[in-house]
Amino acid sequence: MEKHIVEILNLLAILSLAIFPFLKARKLAFTALVSIIVQVLLSFVLVYQVFTNGSVEYSYSGSLITGSISVKIDYLSAWFILVIVFTYFTGAWYGIHYMKKYREQTSNLILHAIAYIFVFIGLIDICIVQNSIVFLVVWEIMAFSSFIVIVFEHYNKETLKAGLNFLIQSHISILFLTIAFIWAKVKTGSFDFSAISVYTALHPRMGLGLFALFFIGFAIKAGFVPFHTWLPHAHPVAPAHISGVMSGVIIKIGIFGILRMLTIINANYTIIGVCILIISIVTGLYGVMMAIVQNNLKRLLAYSSIENIGIIGLGIGLGCLGKASNHQWLVIAGFGGALLHTLNHSLFKSLLFYIAGNVYQATHTLNIDSLGGLLKKIPRTAYLFLIGSLAICGFPPFNGFVSEFYIYNGFFKGLQSNQSMFNLAMLFSIFALVLIGGLALITFTKAFGIVFLGKSREPLHVDETFDNQAVVFPFYLIALAMLLVGLFPILFSSSLLKTSSLFFNTSDSYSFVYLDKMVGDISSIGFYSIGFILLAATFFVLRKMITSKRPSQTYETWGCGYVAPIQKAQYSGRSYTRTYSRLFAPIVYEGKDFKRIKKTSLYPNHRKFSTYYADFWEQYLVLPPTRWVSFILDKFQFIQNGNVQSYVIYGLAFILVIVIVSMLSSINLGV
């Protein structure tokens, strides 16, 4: 049955190529939504079947090049399909409303809808395929389709620039994956993933080098520092529903790739765990430190995604150390926490990006310092942003608390080790996780407070039509799912434990003591969260009963002795974080954009002054080699001279070279 579901999903994607180009905008939206709903329902059936009946494996005959093509739908595949499907559906629902203002761009909408479906099917196929060549093919389909949906507004120079940056870095990722798979093929003689597992079991040193190549390839897609530089550029220019899907699931496929390789490759997991912990600490801290100072709302959320990738990486690193020390509790807490945070982040981050889209549709700006007072204009959107902010900061009773509790639990359990270096690693990880949580609180206090509270800092016309029930319906679904995970995490415990068991050493068996303890801890989180809600509701009811008979009067907000005559006298996003940005000035680099006034200029013209925060890694790691490459390539611009005769000569010269090389090869073979 599972095999037929996968084939139907791929067939529906192919049919979209044949049907969508002949549809008008309204029919296109309806047809695409129906197709997506069918895909979503089939995918949920697939996930349910796997978690109920166990993993499924089958193969196709393939070709002379690929050999037999193996397909494996195990617990890890099912978990990530679950993550992908829910965000894919909510993104489609919101996207239909978000793209209404582009309904005249019919051809763009058709291409966008087709690419969106191919992104989904590419992600699903990546989760199940076990053949190197096919894996690279579907990865390319996913990457190129993602590029198309990101550059919907390709007529905008900044959009196209960010999209090309994404595409180039995606292909650098593919380059590393290709090198790793070629190396594996040379050593094993097979394109099948199982051959990698067998060979690295006999040669663990090769496994370490192979994992390093795979990790870099997947880390570029996931957004680990310093491979993250495409992400802050792509999010602000992509449509809001694509930003939600990109942060919710596209970058998570990099996490899937890392976890998949950890189930295949046999290597020194102590070294792998320590390296992942170090990279994840840097990623989490740098991501949140940069998020605080951003003035573009979607760019702020993009850096926050990097921060959460760091948190997921901390769980993976902990799980690797548990695997190395045969400590099942650390394996369950680490990998279980990473998997659950992957799901949780896909929920609250997609919600926040969709809401950023609503803010943009209502005000036509994402500049935080231009906004304010939106709580009264678009209240549904504002309160849902508050819920998402509480969840991403790890406050109960929402889902972010549960997954971070998993990881914290594992680190504190790791402190009981007799090894001083192991305890030191646990201690630094706990400190980093605490610091990330505290800085995240500053980030979203700024985001919610400046955007939705106070008064508008600039005269903006707010369009309230995007705050209606039809548009925010998927937001309610996401908020409900977040609350479900926060209050009833026990519902996901069985799936998490089954998936975490894939990372146990082959000689291990389930330790029911560890499993029962973890399930008990998960249950207690739900009980305490329900108790917290009941306590808050009790106080609210009591307050209502006491104050119901008292007359209420409305007054102006106390102005501390001075009522500002101008709206810009409020805190801005920049002034709110000014002390912080000075404290971390060496890392959070503040650039200034202005034109100096010459001393000899008696009557200077109008001048502008603005500041921006540049990415440290981009400034010193990415831009210098990029400038050198551009400098070298500029020397060959004369080749592209626009002369048709020259291009014909280039073609003839190429053919001539091929003929000469072929003749020389024939002569050598004859000799």
Side-chain angles (χ1 to χ4, degrees), residues 432-446:
L433 201 52
V434 170
L435 190 56
I436 289 169
L439 294 175
L441 186 59
I442 298 175
T443 302
F444 286 93
T445 302
K446 166 190 167 178

Side-chain angles (χ1 to χ4, degrees), residues 231-232 235-236 297-307 353:
L231 214 151
H235 276 297
L297 183 58
K298 287 177 73 175
R299 193 174 174 88
L300 179 149
L301 295 175
Y303 275 108
S304 174
S305 292
I306 296 169
E307 165 222 332
F353 269 115

Side-chain angles (χ1 to χ4, degrees), residues 155-274:
Y155 39 82
N156 186 317
K157 182 180 177 181
E158 289 301 317
T159 301
L160 192 58
K161 183 179 177 181
L164 290 172
N165 183 16
F166 165 82
L167 190 63
I168 291 168
Q169 297 205 42
S170 292
H171 282 83
I172 294 173
S173 166
I174 293 171
L175 176 63
F176 277 97
L177 297 180
T178 303
I179 293 170
F181 281 129
I182 290 173
W183 185 13
K185 172 64 170 68
V186 170
K187 294 295 184 181
T188 64
S190 173
F191 290 115
D192 200 271
F193 286 1
S194 59
I196 300 175
S197 181
V198 173
Y199 189 83
T200 54
L202 300 173
H203 304 84
R205 288 187 179 180
M206 181 230 173
L208 198 60
L210 197 60
F211 181 80
L213 286 172
F214 278 122
F215 181 82
I216 293 172
F218 291 124
I220 293 172
K221 179 60 67 178
F224 280 96
V225 172
F227 312 110
H228 68 287
T229 53
W230 64 269
L231 214 151
H233 294 288
H235 276 297
V237 302
H241 62 290
I242 298 303
S243 294
V245 172
M246 195 191 315
S247 184
V249 296
I250 292 177
I251 66 173
K252 300 305 191 318
I253 206 64
I255 298 295
F256 169 81
I258 294 169
L259 292 174
R260 174 59 76 200
M261 290 303 132
L262 287 172
T263 64
I264 294 172
I265 295 175
N266 296 281
N268 188 328
Y269 282 98
T270 301
I271 296 175
I272 291 175
V274 170

Side-chain angles (χ1 to χ4, degrees), residues 498-538:
K498 286 178 180 178
T499 309
S500 299
S501 69
L502 296 175
F503 301 95
F504 290 162
N505 294 322
T506 53
S507 58
D508 292 348
S509 59
Y510 275 110
S511 175
F512 289 100
V513 175
Y514 289 138
L515 299 185
D516 290 343
K517 181 68 171 63
M518 183 59 75
V519 171
D521 288 344
I522 294 172
S523 303
S524 64
I525 295 173
F527 293 144
Y528 289 133
S529 296
I530 293 171
F532 174 78
I533 291 177
L534 292 175
L535 183 64
T538 302

Side-chain angles (χ1 to χ4, degrees), residues 215 219 222-227 255 258 272-288 305-318 320 338 407 411 428-429 432-433 436:
F215 181 82
F224 280 96
V225 172
F227 312 110
I255 298 295
I258 294 169
I272 291 175
V274 170
C275 290
I276 291 178
L277 277 181
I278 293 171
I279 293 171
S280 300
I281 289 171
V282 173
T283 299
L285 288 175
Y286 184 76
V288 72
S305 292
I306 296 169
E307 165 222 332
N308 280 274
I309 289 295
I311 295 174
I312 294 169
L314 284 170
I316 295 173
L318 174 64
C320 288
I407 299 172
F411 283 130
F428 270 107
S429 299
L433 201 52
I436 289 169

Side-chain angles (χ1 to χ4, degrees), residues 447-459:
F448 181 78
I450 304 299
V451 173
F452 294 101
L453 302 181
K455 295 181 179 180
S456 175
R457 287 155 182 80
E458 290 185 3

Side-chain angles (χ1 to χ4, degrees), residues 94-407:
Y94 178 65
I96 288 172
H97 292 282
Y98 184 85
M99 303 299 278
K100 281 183 178 178
K101 71 173 186 176
Y102 302 100
R103 64 181 62 180
E104 294 180 358
Q105 302 180 28
T106 307
S107 58
N108 278 354
L109 288 174
I110 290 170
L111 184 60
H112 186 80
I114 293 172
Y116 186 77
I117 289 175
F118 270 85
V119 167
F120 170 72
I121 204 63
L123 293 169
I124 298 295
D125 287 344
I126 286 170
C127 291
I128 64 177
V129 73
Q130 298 284 299
N131 183 282
S132 302
I133 292 182
V134 179
F135 185 92
L136 289 172
V137 169
V138 294
W139 188 278
E140 175 66 27
I141 291 171
M142 179 271 300
F144 189 71
S145 300
S146 300
F147 164 73
I148 292 174
V149 295
I150 289 170
V151 297
F152 177 79
E153 296 182 274
H154 52 83
Y155 39 82
N156 186 317
K157 182 180 177 181
E158 289 301 317
T159 301
L160 192 58
K161 183 179 177 181
L164 290 172
N165 183 16
F166 165 82
L167 190 63
I168 291 168
Q169 297 205 42
S170 292
H171 282 83
I172 294 173
S173 166
I174 293 171
L175 176 63
F176 277 97
L177 297 180
T178 303
I179 293 170
F181 281 129
I182 290 173
W183 185 13
K185 172 64 170 68
V186 170
K187 294 295 184 181
T188 64
S190 173
F191 290 115
D192 200 271
F193 286 1
S194 59
I196 300 175
S197 181
V198 173
Y199 189 83
T200 54
L202 300 173
H203 304 84
R205 288 187 179 180
M206 181 230 173
L208 198 60
L210 197 60
F211 181 80
L213 286 172
F214 278 122
F215 181 82
I216 293 172
F218 291 124
I220 293 172
K221 179 60 67 178
F224 280 96
V225 172
F227 312 110
H228 68 287
T229 53
W230 64 269
L231 214 151
H233 294 288
H235 276 297
V237 302
H241 62 290
I242 298 303
S243 294
V245 172
M246 195 191 315
S247 184
V249 296
I250 292 177
I251 66 173
K252 300 305 191 318
I253 206 64
I255 298 295
F256 169 81
I258 294 169
L259 292 174
R260 174 59 76 200
M261 290 303 132
L262 287 172
T263 64
I264 294 172
I265 295 175
N266 296 281
N268 188 328
Y269 282 98
T270 301
I271 296 175
I272 291 175
V274 170
C275 290
I276 291 178
L277 277 181
I278 293 171
I279 293 171
S280 300
I281 289 171
V282 173
T283 299
L285 288 175
Y286 184 76
V288 72
M289 289 170 72
M290 287 299 295
I292 292 175
V293 296
Q294 301 305 314
N295 286 326
N296 182 291
L297 183 58
K298 287 177 73 175
R299 193 174 174 88
L300 179 149
L301 295 175
Y303 275 108
S304 174
S305 292
I306 296 169
E307 165 222 332
N308 280 274
I309 289 295
I311 295 174
I312 294 169
L314 284 170
I316 295 173
L318 174 64
C320 288
L321 292 178
K323 185 176 175 67
S325 59
N326 291 319
H327 199 312
Q328 289 189 8
W329 180 275
L330 299 187
V331 173
I332 295 170
F335 288 117
L339 289 165
L340 187 57
H341 201 73
T342 299
L343 172 64
N344 289 339
H345 182 253
S346 72
L347 295 173
F348 51 64
K349 187 49 66 69
S350 60
L351 173 64
L352 292 170
F353 269 115
Y354 300 158
I355 291 173
N358 263 18
V359 170
Y360 178 74
Q361 293 282 16
T363 64
H364 301 290
T365 183
L366 288 169
N367 185 4
I368 293 174
D369 286 342
S370 299
L371 298 169
L374 293 182
L375 177 64
K376 295 181 180 179
K377 301 292 180 65
I378 46 175
R380 295 186 184 93
T381 300
Y383 285 119
L384 285 162
F385 190 92
L386 178 61
I387 290 172
S389 299
L390 292 172
I392 201 171
C393 291
F395 282 99
F398 299 106
N399 56 342
F401 174 77
V402 182
S403 51
E404 291 190 24
F405 173 83
Y406 248 99
I407 299 172

